[in-house]
Amino acid sequence: MKNHKELSISKHEQQLFKYALLLSWFTIIYNFIEGIVSIFFGIEDETLTLFGFGADSFIETISAFGILIMIYRIRMNPCSKRGQKEISALRLTGYAFYVLCVILFISAVINVINNSQPTTTFWGIIISTISILSMIFLVYFKKRIGKKLNSQPILADANCNLVCVYMSVVLLVSSVLYELFGIPYIDILGTLGVIYFSFKEGRESLAKAKGKECCCH
């Protein structure tokens, strides 16, 4: 009876890992599509916040691949250490976030000097709303699975998705304020918000690559 119970628990954990892998694949596909759409409309509507949000989504795709590798590793051997591919993905993600911060800051300064304003932020409202709902979905189920598996890495991944919620809120607020009231430079302020969260995510990724446990709070 004891052996049967242990076997059933093992099967249950395997099923939970399958769900975790599906969530990771969903994260990768969603971020990739979101990145393409956001950058397209960011350029089309001349909104730097939306463009930066899209670039961030592409970097999140790289990060999500690292998480996918991590889940496969933990599934095969919960006590195993990070592999070189996982560490490389974390480093690439961290440095990419830093580069994005520099590019967005320079672009923001240029926009202020040239007094550039978005033609519209309508698509920023649509994309950020969809992103908030999607990220909340991911946070909820990743935390649920992470708690059942008692997996701190999966819980940390859920917290990273929570940071994406905050970034989406920044995009939503700046887009709504500009679309309704045409507040000057609100797009620049939204860009600074994206820079702030991108810098934090970059720092978290590099810390993880060095073997430090982070929660992306």
Side-chain angles (χ1 to χ4, degrees), residues 115-171:
N115 194 27
S116 300
Q117 301 294 337
T119 56
T120 178
T121 53
F122 171 79
W123 285 106
I125 297 173
I126 300 300
I127 293 171
S128 59
T129 301
I130 295 174
S131 180
I132 290 171
L133 295 175
S134 301
M135 290 302 112
I136 288 176
F137 164 81
L138 287 172
V139 169
Y140 174 78
F141 283 103
K142 284 183 180 180
K143 282 194 172 185
R144 187 174 180 180
I145 292 173
K147 287 178 181 178
K148 287 183 178 180
L149 289 172
N150 193 27
S151 173
Q152 291 304 315
I154 294 177
L155 290 173
D157 182 35
N159 285 327
C160 288
N161 287 136
L162 189 58
V163 174
C164 295
V165 174
Y166 300 151
M167 195 176 298
S168 300
V169 170
V170 169
L171 174 61

Side-chain angles (χ1 to χ4, degrees), residues 111-118 178 182-190:
N111 280 9
V112 170
I113 294 174
N114 295 333
N115 194 27
S116 300
Q117 301 294 337
Y178 186 82
I183 300 175
Y185 302 115
I186 192 67
D187 185 56
I188 301 300
L189 290 177

Side-chain angles (χ1 to χ4, degrees), residues 13-14 17 21 66-82 86 149-155:
E13 289 178 345
Q14 287 294 323
F17 273 116
L21 289 170
I67 296 298
L68 184 69
I69 295 171
M70 177 197 72
I71 293 175
Y72 272 116
R73 171 176 59 81
I74 295 175
R75 183 185 182 188
M76 298 302 296
N77 185 359
C79 298
S80 62
K81 296 182 179 180
R82 294 186 178 95
E86 189 178 336
L149 289 172
N150 193 27
S151 173
Q152 291 304 315
I154 294 177
L155 290 173

Side-chain angles (χ1 to χ4, degrees), residues 3-80:
N3 291 336
H4 176 72
K5 184 177 180 180
E6 289 178 350
L7 182 62
S8 64
I9 292 175
S10 177
K11 286 182 178 179
H12 178 62
E13 289 178 345
Q14 287 294 323
Q15 190 65 37
L16 289 174
F17 273 116
K18 287 181 180 179
Y19 290 146
L21 289 170
L22 286 174
L23 290 174
S24 292
W25 276 115
F26 176 82
T27 305
I28 291 169
I29 295 170
Y30 175 82
N31 278 325
F32 183 76
I33 295 174
E34 181 182 73
I36 293 175
V37 175
S38 299
I39 286 180
F40 174 80
F41 283 110
I43 295 174
E44 185 77 10
D45 300 336
E46 298 181 13
T47 164
L48 187 58
T49 303
L50 183 56
F51 175 84
F53 183 80
D56 181 272
S57 296
F58 277 126
I59 300 174
E60 291 288 354
T61 302
I62 300 173
S63 176
F65 268 114
I67 296 298
L68 184 69
I69 295 171
M70 177 197 72
I71 293 175
Y72 272 116
R73 171 176 59 81
I74 295 175
R75 183 185 182 188
M76 298 302 296
N77 185 359
C79 298
S80 62

